[in-house]
Amino acid sequence: MPTDDPTTGRPAARWDAFALARARVVFDALEHLVGGFGTSFLALIAFALVIATAVTSLVGVGLLLAPVTLRVVRVVADRERGRLSRWGPEVVGPEPIPHGLRAALADSAVRGEVGWVATHAVFGLLVGAIGLSLPLYAVRDIPFPLYWRLLPPDVAATSASGLWTVQGWPSALAVSLLGIGWIVITATITPGMARLQAWPGRRLLAPASGTDLALRVVQLTATRAAALDAHSAELRRIERSLHDGTQNRIVAVNVLLGAARRALTRDPASAEAILERAQDAAEQALAELRGVVRSILPPVLTDRSLSDALTGLATACPVPCRIDADLPVRCASSVEATAYFVVAETLTNIAKHSRAGRADVLVRLQDDRLQLRITDDGQGGADERNGSGFVGIRRRTEAHDGTFMLTSPPGGPTTVTVSLPCGS
């Protein structure tokens, strides 16, 4: 049971939560410093190529290397855009490099990339080296009392520029305390250093004003078309279900009732059998009609929750299926209906095509987005171009401004990953 802190009176559990959150921030910053350190090496190589191209251009040779150099710079810059997009707001890539050296050098995106390469090759490398050295100092100094006697006497000194020479246990323990100080410094300044390392990229690699908006308009136009296609496909599916199933059953009921009516005058004994067949056909029509209604919007989504609806799908699936759903709050009904459709369609594909022995469905709510991951241990090789239903899943997902990803190497496993904005 947590106890209160004597100085603040707040529960100790709050301090634990604060420490855990801070540790996550620090580890996240260290991860991005490592990534930035790697892209700074690539930028250093690209910058050396830029300098070599500029120098050799004085004798004409560099003019032939310029297109290749600019493409190398673009590749390195795109890796940095990807790294920055994973850590914060997305950095949208520019249009392709214009044809012709003069047009390429006049392009603001190309000039920004060359400036970023020069900056990141020096500044990013320096910041990354400093930021990554601090935890290494801590790892070296904290256990120093355990191994200092194994060092030669002239080497037994701290690496902090030899502040003092270790000659006994007190000075060895002081080195360990210095290591704790390195941890404090790391936890304090590492997040700021990660942001500082990323700042040139966010400034120089960002698209021109209005580019992001134009891309967003294109994306919304495409998703609107996908929404209309998904709506049309859903109407066609409902029409086929009603025409091929329910309507035929009702026609059969009508025919049987007519036959029963005529039998009443000729052979009353046979009318009862005909009416029984008509009743069976009416019950089948009613069951198929209920199935169509449930496929439009399952009542369990309204009456209970998405987790319960998915559990029902898993129970009815021919392949053993495990549902792992952690949803503390409800999403919009349209989003839950789409999630239900995605899981239902994917489980249907698994049962028909995958030859899987089991399937797993993971559902989480992260950063106001509903995350779905459906995995099976089948034969793999699924392709959304072969008419297996994944095109419909993609269209319905993108209609909600969501993302769809299919991974299915030959031999398996197959993983379907869908992300939906929860507030859609």
Side-chain angles (χ1 to χ4, degrees), residues 101-150:
L101 181 58
R102 179 171 297 180
L105 294 178
D107 187 74
S108 59
V110 173
R111 294 199 304 270
E113 289 171 346
V114 173
W116 169 81
V117 162
T119 304
H120 196 57
V122 179
F123 181 73
L125 193 66
L126 177 63
V127 173
I130 295 174
L132 296 178
S133 297
L134 298 177
L136 295 179
Y137 289 159
V139 171
R140 180 203 60 200
D141 291 345
I142 290 178
F144 191 79
L146 301 178
Y147 65 84
W148 72 277
R149 285 188 174 277
L150 302 178

mmCIF file of all heavy atoms in Angstrom, residues 101-150:
data_model
loop_
_atom_site.group_PDB
_atom_site.id
_atom_site.type_symbol
_atom_site.label_atom_id
_atom_site.label_comp_id
_atom_site.label_asym_id
_atom_site.label_seq_id
_atom_site.Cartn_x
_atom_site.Cartn_y
_atom_site.Cartn_z
ATOM 1 N N LEU A 101 20.201 20.590 -64.009
ATOM 2 C CA LEU A 101 20.953 21.058 -62.850
ATOM 3 C C LEU A 101 20.515 22.454 -62.427
ATOM 4 O O LEU A 101 20.349 22.727 -61.227
ATOM 5 C CB LEU A 101 22.450 21.053 -63.167
ATOM 6 C CG LEU A 101 23.375 21.507 -62.032
ATOM 7 C CD1 LEU A 101 23.191 20.638 -60.796
ATOM 8 C CD2 LEU A 101 24.832 21.496 -62.497
ATOM 9 N N ARG A 102 20.282 23.343 -63.363
ATOM 10 C CA ARG A 102 19.894 24.715 -63.017
ATOM 11 C C ARG A 102 18.535 24.735 -62.318
ATOM 12 O O ARG A 102 18.345 25.417 -61.316
ATOM 13 C CB ARG A 102 19.877 25.580 -64.272
ATOM 14 C CG ARG A 102 19.454 27.017 -64.020
ATOM 15 C CD ARG A 102 19.665 27.880 -65.237
ATOM 16 N NE ARG A 102 21.075 27.954 -65.607
ATOM 17 C CZ ARG A 102 21.540 28.652 -66.637
ATOM 18 N NH1 ARG A 102 20.700 29.342 -67.404
ATOM 19 N NH2 ARG A 102 22.837 28.668 -66.911
ATOM 20 N N ALA A 103 17.577 23.949 -62.847
ATOM 21 C CA ALA A 103 16.254 23.903 -62.224
ATOM 22 C C ALA A 103 16.330 23.265 -60.835
ATOM 23 O O ALA A 103 15.635 23.693 -59.906
ATOM 24 C CB ALA A 103 15.284 23.124 -63.111
ATOM 25 N N ALA A 104 17.191 22.253 -60.692
ATOM 26 C CA ALA A 104 17.319 21.596 -59.394
ATOM 27 C C ALA A 104 17.907 22.543 -58.353
ATOM 28 O O ALA A 104 17.431 22.612 -57.209
ATOM 29 C CB ALA A 104 18.188 20.349 -59.525
ATOM 30 N N LEU A 105 18.946 23.291 -58.737
ATOM 31 C CA LEU A 105 19.565 24.219 -57.792
ATOM 32 C C LEU A 105 18.653 25.394 -57.471
ATOM 33 O O LEU A 105 18.806 26.024 -56.419
ATOM 34 C CB LEU A 105 20.894 24.731 -58.357
ATOM 35 C CG LEU A 105 22.000 23.677 -58.520
ATOM 36 C CD1 LEU A 105 23.250 24.289 -59.128
ATOM 37 C CD2 LEU A 105 22.323 23.036 -57.165
ATOM 38 N N ALA A 106 17.706 25.696 -58.361
ATOM 39 C CA ALA A 106 16.761 26.780 -58.083
ATOM 40 C C ALA A 106 15.615 26.325 -57.193
ATOM 41 O O ALA A 106 14.871 27.165 -56.671
ATOM 42 C CB ALA A 106 16.208 27.333 -59.408
ATOM 43 N N ASP A 107 15.474 25.019 -57.006
ATOM 44 C CA ASP A 107 14.389 24.487 -56.183
ATOM 45 C C ASP A 107 14.683 24.717 -54.702
ATOM 46 O O ASP A 107 15.769 24.377 -54.212
ATOM 47 C CB ASP A 107 14.211 22.993 -56.462
ATOM 48 C CG ASP A 107 13.009 22.420 -55.765
ATOM 49 O OD1 ASP A 107 11.881 22.682 -56.197
ATOM 50 O OD2 ASP A 107 13.190 21.709 -54.756
ATOM 51 N N SER A 108 13.741 25.295 -53.980
ATOM 52 C CA SER A 108 13.961 25.623 -52.568
ATOM 53 C C SER A 108 14.145 24.371 -51.716
ATOM 54 O O SER A 108 14.921 24.370 -50.745
ATOM 55 C CB SER A 108 12.787 26.449 -52.026
ATOM 56 O OG SER A 108 11.568 25.732 -52.145
ATOM 57 N N ALA A 109 13.447 23.282 -52.067
ATOM 58 C CA ALA A 109 13.583 22.047 -51.297
ATOM 59 C C ALA A 109 14.994 21.483 -51.432
ATOM 60 O O ALA A 109 15.587 21.018 -50.452
ATOM 61 C CB ALA A 109 12.550 21.021 -51.754
ATOM 62 N N VAL A 110 15.555 21.515 -52.632
ATOM 63 C CA VAL A 110 16.917 21.008 -52.856
ATOM 64 C C VAL A 110 17.926 21.859 -52.084
ATOM 65 O O VAL A 110 18.839 21.332 -51.435
ATOM 66 C CB VAL A 110 17.243 20.984 -54.358
ATOM 67 C CG1 VAL A 110 18.715 20.636 -54.580
ATOM 68 C CG2 VAL A 110 16.341 19.987 -55.077
ATOM 69 N N ARG A 111 17.780 23.185 -52.147
ATOM 70 C CA ARG A 111 18.706 24.050 -51.405
ATOM 71 C C ARG A 111 18.588 23.804 -49.897
ATOM 72 O O ARG A 111 19.598 23.794 -49.183
ATOM 73 C CB ARG A 111 18.413 25.514 -51.718
ATOM 74 C CG ARG A 111 18.699 25.900 -53.170
ATOM 75 C CD ARG A 111 18.844 27.414 -53.310
ATOM 76 N NE ARG A 111 17.661 28.108 -52.805
ATOM 77 C CZ ARG A 111 16.602 28.420 -53.536
ATOM 78 N NH1 ARG A 111 16.559 28.080 -54.821
ATOM 79 N NH2 ARG A 111 15.581 29.075 -53.017
ATOM 80 N N GLY A 112 17.359 23.605 -49.407
ATOM 81 C CA GLY A 112 17.183 23.321 -47.994
ATOM 82 C C GLY A 112 17.839 22.011 -47.591
ATOM 83 O O GLY A 112 18.432 21.894 -46.505
ATOM 84 N N GLU A 113 17.769 21.006 -48.470
ATOM 85 C CA GLU A 113 18.388 19.716 -48.162
ATOM 86 C C GLU A 113 19.908 19.824 -48.133
ATOM 87 O O GLU A 113 20.565 19.231 -47.263
ATOM 88 C CB GLU A 113 17.943 18.677 -49.187
ATOM 89 C CG GLU A 113 16.485 18.267 -49.038
ATOM 90 C CD GLU A 113 15.987 17.411 -50.171
ATOM 91 O OE1 GLU A 113 16.692 17.337 -51.218
ATOM 92 O OE2 GLU A 113 14.906 16.820 -50.046
ATOM 93 N N VAL A 114 20.475 20.571 -49.053
ATOM 94 C CA VAL A 114 21.934 20.758 -49.037
ATOM 95 C C VAL A 114 22.355 21.509 -47.787
ATOM 96 O O VAL A 114 23.356 21.154 -47.133
ATOM 97 C CB VAL A 114 22.384 21.503 -50.314
ATOM 98 C CG1 VAL A 114 23.868 21.853 -50.227
ATOM 99 C CG2 VAL A 114 22.105 20.661 -51.561
ATOM 100 N N GLY A 115 21.602 22.540 -47.399
ATOM 101 C CA GLY A 115 21.921 23.254 -46.161
ATOM 102 C C GLY A 115 21.779 22.367 -44.938
ATOM 103 O O GLY A 115 22.592 22.444 -43.999
ATOM 104 N N TRP A 116 20.765 21.488 -44.939
ATOM 105 C CA TRP A 116 20.599 20.579 -43.795
ATOM 106 C C TRP A 116 21.747 19.589 -43.722
ATOM 107 O O TRP A 116 22.254 19.296 -42.623
ATOM 108 C CB TRP A 116 19.280 19.822 -43.918
ATOM 109 C CG TRP A 116 19.196 18.710 -42.921
ATOM 110 C CD1 TRP A 116 18.851 18.810 -41.616
ATOM 111 C CD2 TRP A 116 19.499 17.336 -43.162
ATOM 112 N NE1 TRP A 116 18.930 17.584 -41.012
ATOM 113 C CE2 TRP A 116 19.314 16.660 -41.941
ATOM 114 C CE3 TRP A 116 19.906 16.613 -44.279
ATOM 115 C CZ2 TRP A 116 19.522 15.282 -41.810
ATOM 116 C CZ3 TRP A 116 20.117 15.250 -44.163
ATOM 117 C CH2 TRP A 116 19.931 14.606 -42.947
ATOM 118 N N VAL A 117 22.189 19.064 -44.866
ATOM 119 C CA VAL A 117 23.303 18.117 -44.875
ATOM 120 C C VAL A 117 24.545 18.756 -44.261
ATOM 121 O O VAL A 117 25.241 18.155 -43.432
ATOM 122 C CB VAL A 117 23.576 17.634 -46.322
ATOM 123 C CG1 VAL A 117 24.955 17.034 -46.435
ATOM 124 C CG2 VAL A 117 22.535 16.607 -46.741
ATOM 125 N N ALA A 118 24.818 20.008 -44.648
ATOM 126 C CA ALA A 118 25.992 20.684 -44.095
ATOM 127 C C ALA A 118 25.837 20.915 -42.593
ATOM 128 O O ALA A 118 26.799 20.738 -41.817
ATOM 129 C CB ALA A 118 26.206 22.014 -44.818
ATOM 130 N N THR A 119 24.651 21.280 -42.147
ATOM 131 C CA THR A 119 24.431 21.559 -40.718
ATOM 132 C C THR A 119 24.436 20.287 -39.902
ATOM 133 O O THR A 119 25.102 20.197 -38.851
ATOM 134 C CB THR A 119 23.083 22.287 -40.535
ATOM 135 O OG1 THR A 119 23.066 23.470 -41.329
ATOM 136 C CG2 THR A 119 22.867 22.642 -39.072
ATOM 137 N N HIS A 120 23.710 19.278 -40.363
ATOM 138 C CA HIS A 120 23.558 18.047 -39.579
ATOM 139 C C HIS A 120 24.859 17.258 -39.529
ATOM 140 O O HIS A 120 25.118 16.538 -38.553
ATOM 141 C CB HIS A 120 22.442 17.196 -40.182
ATOM 142 C CG HIS A 120 21.948 16.120 -39.275
ATOM 143 N ND1 HIS A 120 21.455 16.372 -38.009
ATOM 144 C CD2 HIS A 120 21.866 14.767 -39.435
ATOM 145 C CE1 HIS A 120 21.079 15.234 -37.445
ATOM 146 N NE2 HIS A 120 21.330 14.245 -38.285
ATOM 147 N N ALA A 121 25.671 17.372 -40.572
ATOM 148 C CA ALA A 121 26.935 16.640 -40.589
ATOM 149 C C ALA A 121 27.864 17.103 -39.474
ATOM 150 O O ALA A 121 28.699 16.323 -38.982
ATOM 151 C CB ALA A 121 27.624 16.803 -41.945
ATOM 152 N N VAL A 122 27.733 18.366 -39.062
ATOM 153 C CA VAL A 122 28.597 18.909 -38.006
ATOM 154 C C VAL A 122 27.823 19.038 -36.695
ATOM 155 O O VAL A 122 28.171 18.425 -35.674
ATOM 156 C CB VAL A 122 29.174 20.280 -38.426
ATOM 157 C CG1 VAL A 122 30.049 20.847 -37.325
ATOM 158 C CG2 VAL A 122 29.954 20.152 -39.724
ATOM 159 N N PHE A 123 26.736 19.790 -36.737
ATOM 160 C CA PHE A 123 25.986 20.077 -35.513
ATOM 161 C C PHE A 123 25.312 18.817 -34.964
ATOM 162 O O PHE A 123 25.371 18.525 -33.774
ATOM 163 C CB PHE A 123 24.951 21.158 -35.818
ATOM 164 C CG PHE A 123 24.135 21.570 -34.631
ATOM 165 C CD1 PHE A 123 24.685 22.344 -33.619
ATOM 166 C CD2 PHE A 123 22.813 21.172 -34.514
ATOM 167 C CE1 PHE A 123 23.936 22.718 -32.516
ATOM 168 C CE2 PHE A 123 22.053 21.553 -33.428
ATOM 169 C CZ PHE A 123 22.618 22.317 -32.424
ATOM 170 N N GLY A 124 24.634 18.055 -35.855
ATOM 171 C CA GLY A 124 23.959 16.846 -35.394
ATOM 172 C C GLY A 124 24.911 15.811 -34.859
ATOM 173 O O GLY A 124 24.619 15.125 -33.871
ATOM 174 N N LEU A 125 26.069 15.669 -35.502
ATOM 175 C CA LEU A 125 27.078 14.713 -35.029
ATOM 176 C C LEU A 125 27.608 15.124 -33.666
ATOM 177 O O LEU A 125 27.787 14.283 -32.764
ATOM 178 C CB LEU A 125 28.218 14.634 -36.051
ATOM 179 C CG LEU A 125 29.202 13.480 -35.893
ATOM 180 C CD1 LEU A 125 28.510 12.152 -36.136
ATOM 181 C CD2 LEU A 125 30.368 13.653 -36.862
ATOM 182 N N LEU A 126 27.846 16.421 -33.467
ATOM 183 C CA LEU A 126 28.374 16.905 -32.195
ATOM 184 C C LEU A 126 27.359 16.719 -31.072
ATOM 185 O O LEU A 126 27.685 16.206 -29.996
ATOM 186 C CB LEU A 126 28.759 18.378 -32.332
ATOM 187 C CG LEU A 126 29.272 19.067 -31.060
ATOM 188 C CD1 LEU A 126 30.558 18.406 -30.584
ATOM 189 C CD2 LEU A 126 29.488 20.554 -31.301
ATOM 190 N N VAL A 127 26.120 17.138 -31.306
ATOM 191 C CA VAL A 127 25.089 17.001 -30.278
ATOM 192 C C VAL A 127 24.845 15.533 -29.950
ATOM 193 O O VAL A 127 24.701 15.152 -28.779
ATOM 194 C CB VAL A 127 23.786 17.681 -30.742
ATOM 195 C CG1 VAL A 127 22.657 17.398 -29.754
ATOM 196 C CG2 VAL A 127 23.991 19.179 -30.874
ATOM 197 N N GLY A 128 24.813 14.679 -30.970
ATOM 198 C CA GLY A 128 24.608 13.264 -30.727
ATOM 199 C C GLY A 128 25.742 12.649 -29.930
ATOM 200 O O GLY A 128 25.506 11.839 -29.026
ATOM 201 N N ALA A 129 26.965 13.022 -30.243
ATOM 202 C CA ALA A 129 28.107 12.474 -29.518
ATOM 203 C C ALA A 129 28.073 12.885 -28.050
ATOM 204 O O ALA A 129 28.324 12.071 -27.146
ATOM 205 C CB ALA A 129 29.409 12.939 -30.173
ATOM 206 N N ILE A 130 27.759 14.153 -27.784
ATOM 207 C CA ILE A 130 27.685 14.616 -26.392
ATOM 208 C C ILE A 130 26.548 13.925 -25.654
ATOM 209 O O ILE A 130 26.704 13.441 -24.526
ATOM 210 C CB ILE A 130 27.508 16.146 -26.352
ATOM 211 C CG1 ILE A 130 28.745 16.836 -26.927
ATOM 212 C CG2 ILE A 130 27.256 16.622 -24.919
ATOM 213 C CD1 ILE A 130 28.602 18.344 -27.052
ATOM 214 N N GLY A 131 25.375 13.875 -26.302
ATOM 215 C CA GLY A 131 24.221 13.274 -25.639
ATOM 216 C C GLY A 131 24.407 11.810 -25.330
ATOM 217 O O GLY A 131 23.964 11.327 -24.276
ATOM 218 N N LEU A 132 25.080 11.063 -26.206
ATOM 219 C CA LEU A 132 25.292 9.641 -25.971
ATOM 220 C C LEU A 132 26.463 9.373 -25.050
ATOM 221 O O LEU A 132 26.559 8.278 -24.469
ATOM 222 C CB LEU A 132 25.512 8.925 -27.314
ATOM 223 C CG LEU A 132 24.318 8.962 -28.274
ATOM 224 C CD1 LEU A 132 24.667 8.272 -29.579
ATOM 225 C CD2 LEU A 132 23.106 8.303 -27.641
ATOM 226 N N SER A 133 27.363 10.331 -24.894
ATOM 227 C CA SER A 133 28.499 10.141 -23.983
ATOM 228 C C SER A 133 28.069 10.174 -22.519
ATOM 229 O O SER A 133 28.646 9.476 -21.685
ATOM 230 C CB SER A 133 29.564 11.213 -24.235
ATOM 231 O OG SER A 133 30.092 11.112 -25.539
ATOM 232 N N LEU A 134 27.051 10.970 -22.205
ATOM 233 C CA LEU A 134 26.654 11.122 -20.804
ATOM 234 C C LEU A 134 26.220 9.802 -20.172
ATOM 235 O O LEU A 134 26.720 9.450 -19.086
ATOM 236 C CB LEU A 134 25.530 12.162 -20.704
ATOM 237 C CG LEU A 134 25.906 13.579 -21.173
ATOM 238 C CD1 LEU A 134 24.692 14.494 -21.084
ATOM 239 C CD2 LEU A 134 27.047 14.133 -20.326
ATOM 240 N N PRO A 135 25.310 9.017 -20.768
ATOM 241 C CA PRO A 135 24.971 7.739 -20.139
ATOM 242 C C PRO A 135 26.136 6.753 -20.132
ATOM 243 O O PRO A 135 26.226 5.914 -19.232
ATOM 244 C CB PRO A 135 23.790 7.218 -20.978
ATOM 245 C CG PRO A 135 23.883 7.937 -22.268
ATOM 246 C CD PRO A 135 24.463 9.276 -21.955
ATOM 247 N N LEU A 136 27.031 6.857 -21.116
ATOM 248 C CA LEU A 136 28.210 5.981 -21.102
ATOM 249 C C LEU A 136 29.126 6.314 -19.940
ATOM 250 O O LEU A 136 29.717 5.416 -19.318
ATOM 251 C CB LEU A 136 28.963 6.106 -22.433
ATOM 252 C CG LEU A 136 28.210 5.612 -23.681
ATOM 253 C CD1 LEU A 136 29.064 5.813 -24.933
ATOM 254 C CD2 LEU A 136 27.836 4.139 -23.529
ATOM 255 N N TYR A 137 29.261 7.599 -19.631
ATOM 256 C CA TYR A 137 30.025 7.987 -18.443
ATOM 257 C C TYR A 137 29.415 7.378 -17.187
ATOM 258 O O TYR A 137 30.133 6.908 -16.291
ATOM 259 C CB TYR A 137 30.067 9.510 -18.317
ATOM 260 C CG TYR A 137 30.927 10.215 -19.357
ATOM 261 C CD1 TYR A 137 30.728 11.567 -19.644
ATOM 262 C CD2 TYR A 137 31.917 9.535 -20.044
ATOM 263 C CE1 TYR A 137 31.497 12.219 -20.602
ATOM 264 C CE2 TYR A 137 32.688 10.176 -20.991
ATOM 265 C CZ TYR A 137 32.473 11.510 -21.265
ATOM 266 O OH TYR A 137 33.244 12.151 -22.209
ATOM 267 N N ALA A 138 28.064 7.413 -17.113
ATOM 268 C CA ALA A 138 27.399 6.853 -15.935
ATOM 269 C C ALA A 138 27.640 5.360 -15.828
ATOM 270 O O ALA A 138 27.919 4.831 -14.741
ATOM 271 C CB ALA A 138 25.899 7.153 -16.005
ATOM 272 N N VAL A 139 27.542 4.649 -16.961
ATOM 273 C CA VAL A 139 27.772 3.199 -16.949
ATOM 274 C C VAL A 139 29.209 2.884 -16.548
ATOM 275 O O VAL A 139 29.477 1.893 -15.854
ATOM 276 C CB VAL A 139 27.443 2.607 -18.336
ATOM 277 C CG1 VAL A 139 27.885 1.155 -18.435
ATOM 278 C CG2 VAL A 139 25.958 2.731 -18.620
ATOM 279 N N ARG A 140 30.144 3.729 -16.912
ATOM 280 C CA ARG A 140 31.539 3.493 -16.570
ATOM 281 C C ARG A 140 31.841 3.821 -15.114
ATOM 282 O O ARG A 140 32.578 3.084 -14.443
ATOM 283 C CB ARG A 140 32.432 4.353 -17.480
ATOM 284 C CG ARG A 140 33.931 4.200 -17.243
ATOM 285 C CD ARG A 140 34.667 5.416 -17.738
ATOM 286 N NE ARG A 140 34.207 6.617 -17.043
ATOM 287 C CZ ARG A 140 34.371 7.849 -17.503
ATOM 288 N NH1 ARG A 140 34.938 8.026 -18.670
ATOM 289 N NH2 ARG A 140 33.938 8.882 -16.817
ATOM 290 N N ASP A 141 31.256 4.901 -14.591
ATOM 291 C CA ASP A 141 31.666 5.388 -13.271
ATOM 292 C C ASP A 141 30.910 4.759 -12.106
ATOM 293 O O ASP A 141 31.482 4.588 -11.026
ATOM 294 C CB ASP A 141 31.506 6.914 -13.208
ATOM 295 C CG ASP A 141 32.516 7.636 -14.092
ATOM 296 O OD1 ASP A 141 33.490 6.990 -14.505
ATOM 297 O OD2 ASP A 141 32.318 8.828 -14.367
ATOM 298 N N ILE A 142 29.627 4.422 -12.295
ATOM 299 C CA ILE A 142 28.854 3.885 -11.158
ATOM 300 C C ILE A 142 29.455 2.594 -10.611
ATOM 301 O O ILE A 142 29.631 2.443 -9.400
ATOM 302 C CB ILE A 142 27.371 3.700 -11.562
ATOM 303 C CG1 ILE A 142 26.711 5.070 -11.726
ATOM 304 C CG2 ILE A 142 26.626 2.877 -10.535
ATOM 305 C CD1 ILE A 142 25.270 5.006 -12.168
ATOM 306 N N PRO A 143 29.819 1.603 -11.441
ATOM 307 C CA PRO A 143 30.427 0.386 -10.870
ATOM 308 C C PRO A 143 31.930 0.499 -10.649
ATOM 309 O O PRO A 143 32.595 -0.514 -10.418
ATOM 310 C CB PRO A 143 30.111 -0.667 -11.935
ATOM 311 C CG PRO A 143 30.110 0.088 -13.216
ATOM 312 C CD PRO A 143 29.588 1.454 -12.895
ATOM 313 N N PHE A 144 32.495 1.713 -10.680
ATOM 314 C CA PHE A 144 33.938 1.886 -10.561
ATOM 315 C C PHE A 144 34.525 1.231 -9.310
ATOM 316 O O PHE A 144 35.610 0.623 -9.386
ATOM 317 C CB PHE A 144 34.282 3.383 -10.589
ATOM 318 C CG PHE A 144 35.758 3.651 -10.731
ATOM 319 C CD1 PHE A 144 36.373 3.567 -11.964
ATOM 320 C CD2 PHE A 144 36.536 3.990 -9.624
ATOM 321 C CE1 PHE A 144 37.727 3.820 -12.097
ATOM 322 C CE2 PHE A 144 37.882 4.235 -9.749
ATOM 323 C CZ PHE A 144 38.482 4.155 -10.991
ATOM 324 N N PRO A 145 33.867 1.299 -8.129
ATOM 325 C CA PRO A 145 34.449 0.641 -6.953
ATOM 326 C C PRO A 145 34.597 -0.867 -7.101
ATOM 327 O O PRO A 145 35.372 -1.484 -6.351
ATOM 328 C CB PRO A 145 33.454 0.989 -5.828
ATOM 329 C CG PRO A 145 32.795 2.239 -6.286
ATOM 330 C CD PRO A 145 32.692 2.108 -7.767
ATOM 331 N N LEU A 146 33.893 -1.472 -8.050
ATOM 332 C CA LEU A 146 33.971 -2.922 -8.207
ATOM 333 C C LEU A 146 35.199 -3.362 -8.984
ATOM 334 O O LEU A 146 35.624 -4.521 -8.865
ATOM 335 C CB LEU A 146 32.705 -3.437 -8.922
ATOM 336 C CG LEU A 146 31.371 -3.145 -8.228
ATOM 337 C CD1 LEU A 146 30.220 -3.674 -9.076
ATOM 338 C CD2 LEU A 146 31.347 -3.770 -6.842
ATOM 339 N N TYR A 147 35.772 -2.456 -9.788
ATOM 340 C CA TYR A 147 36.882 -2.906 -10.638
ATOM 341 C C TYR A 147 38.107 -1.999 -10.552
ATOM 342 O O TYR A 147 39.084 -2.245 -11.266
ATOM 343 C CB TYR A 147 36.414 -2.992 -12.098
ATOM 344 C CG TYR A 147 36.021 -1.684 -12.737
ATOM 345 C CD1 TYR A 147 36.975 -0.838 -13.306
ATOM 346 C CD2 TYR A 147 34.689 -1.282 -12.798
ATOM 347 C CE1 TYR A 147 36.615 0.352 -13.897
ATOM 348 C CE2 TYR A 147 34.319 -0.097 -13.389
ATOM 349 C CZ TYR A 147 35.277 0.711 -13.944
ATOM 350 O OH TYR A 147 34.925 1.894 -14.522
ATOM 351 N N TRP A 148 38.083 -0.983 -9.670
ATOM 352 C CA TRP A 148 39.201 -0.041 -9.705
ATOM 353 C C TRP A 148 40.519 -0.682 -9.280
ATOM 354 O O TRP A 148 41.589 -0.281 -9.748
ATOM 355 C CB TRP A 148 38.901 1.179 -8.841
ATOM 356 C CG TRP A 148 38.939 0.946 -7.352
ATOM 357 C CD1 TRP A 148 37.956 0.447 -6.584
ATOM 358 C CD2 TRP A 148 40.038 1.214 -6.475
ATOM 359 N NE1 TRP A 148 38.342 0.371 -5.274
ATOM 360 C CE2 TRP A 148 39.637 0.848 -5.178
ATOM 361 C CE3 TRP A 148 41.331 1.736 -6.656
ATOM 362 C CZ2 TRP A 148 40.461 0.968 -4.072
ATOM 363 C CZ3 TRP A 148 42.148 1.872 -5.559
ATOM 364 C CH2 TRP A 148 41.725 1.484 -4.277
ATOM 365 N N ARG A 149 40.469 -1.713 -8.410
ATOM 366 C CA ARG A 149 41.713 -2.370 -7.971
ATOM 367 C C ARG A 149 42.361 -3.173 -9.100
ATOM 368 O O ARG A 149 43.548 -3.516 -9.003
ATOM 369 C CB ARG A 149 41.438 -3.282 -6.785
ATOM 370 C CG ARG A 149 41.235 -2.509 -5.476
ATOM 371 C CD ARG A 149 41.151 -3.465 -4.304
ATOM 372 N NE ARG A 149 41.099 -2.757 -3.039
ATOM 373 C CZ ARG A 149 42.163 -2.286 -2.378
ATOM 374 N NH1 ARG A 149 43.376 -2.448 -2.891
ATOM 375 N NH2 ARG A 149 42.028 -1.659 -1.232
ATOM 376 N N LEU A 150 41.585 -3.492 -10.137
ATOM 377 C CA LEU A 150 42.147 -4.240 -11.263
ATOM 378 C C LEU A 150 42.908 -3.343 -12.229
ATOM 379 O O LEU A 150 43.599 -3.842 -13.113
ATOM 380 C CB LEU A 150 41.014 -4.951 -12.021
ATOM 381 C CG LEU A 150 40.161 -5.917 -11.189
ATOM 382 C CD1 LEU A 150 39.042 -6.505 -12.053
ATOM 383 C CD2 LEU A 150 41.018 -7.027 -10.593
#
